[in-house]
Structures are given as C-alpha cells and as structure tokens.
Amino acid sequence: MGNIFKALALVAGVALSSQVGMASDMPDGAKIFSKKCKMCHAINKKKVGPAVASMNMDTNMLIETVTNGRKRMPKFGHKLSADEIQAVVAFIQSNHAE
C-alpha cells in the first residue's frame, strides 16, 4: 500500500512540474508590450496611439492590428511570433478599463 502512495506522489509531482515548465515557456505579454508598444501606447492615457484602456478589445481585431499594422502603427507580424502576439493581446485585454 505504501508503494502505491509513493508512486501516486511521484506521478503527481511530475505532472505538476511539467505544467509549471509549460507555463514558463509562454511569452511575457507585459515585457513585450514594454519593449515594443510602450513608446506609443500607455495603459490609461493617449500617447501617439490610443490608451490601452480605451482600445477595442475584440481579440481578432487586436491580433490583426498587431500583426499587420493600422494607420500609423507599424506591422509586428515579422518581428513577433504568433505566441508573442497572443501574449501582447492578452496583456492589452487584461488592462482594459471596464
């Protein structure tokens, strides 16, 4: 019976550590925003571009805009991976004013 508990504890430990490893592999949207977007966008005030808090929060529109640019905003599709763009969009959406 003791060996069963040890085996279950081992399996649970491996499963949890692999999930933590996967989570750390995700790009940091806040860090990417700070490096690539902050010069034109602030969270709560307009700069060159609109404030994050007042942006349209439609996921597809945000992905399209970051990827292909819009008006004066340059394209980032060739500078950022799809995962990095998703992370930036998630960061923008998490900072939206309700």
Side-chain angles (χ1 to χ4, degrees), residues 34-61:
S34 183
K35 289 175 79 174
K36 302 288 186 185
C37 311
K38 190 175 176 180
M39 70 277 304
C40 295
H41 299 280
I43 300 298
N44 291 310
K45 68 178 183 176
K46 181 175 177 16
K47 288 175 98 175
V48 173
V52 169
S54 66
M55 286 182 184
N56 180 329
M57 288 296 120
D58 178 72
T59 301
N60 292 329
M61 195 278 307

